[in-house]
């Protein structure tokens, strides 16, 4: 079991990039800081490190999707082909 109020760091590698978060557990919640963003996750049967890792992978996947869509639309808006 993870100790409450103990601040921990977690770094993961996902698709060749590193992602870092700092987190602690308090009052049944996991408090996560990654970059300038703060998140609170409910403490469940999933261990806190696994929950934070899943959050980081989700954020990385969303960022990659947004970048891909932005570049496609930038091409469309500058007279390129239509989005796929």
């Amino acid at each position: 079991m993870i100790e409450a109020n103990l601040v921990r760091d977690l770094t993961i590698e996902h698709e060749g990039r590193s992602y870092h978060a700092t987190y602690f557990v308090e009052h049944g919640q996991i408090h996560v800081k990654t970059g300038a963003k703060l998140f609170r996750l409910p403490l469940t049967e999933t261990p806190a490190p696994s929950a934070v890792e899943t959050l980081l992978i989700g954020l990385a996947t969303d960022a990659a999707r947004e970048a891909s869509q932005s570049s496609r639309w930038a091409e469309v808006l500058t007279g390129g082909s239509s989005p796929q």
Side-chain angles (χ1 to χ4, degrees), residues 26-48:
E26 182 178 64
H27 302 296
Q29 294 183 333
I30 307 166
H31 301 260
V32 184
K33 182 174 190 289
T34 178
K37 296 180 181 180
L38 300 171
F39 298 91
R40 286 188 298 181
L41 308 172
L43 188 59
T44 62
E45 292 178 9
T46 303

Side-chain angles (χ1 to χ4, degrees), residues 68-84:
S68 174
Q69 288 178 342
S70 293
S71 66
R72 286 184 195 151
W73 278 107
E75 184 179 320
V76 168
L77 295 175
T78 58
S81 62
S82 63
Q84 301 292 327

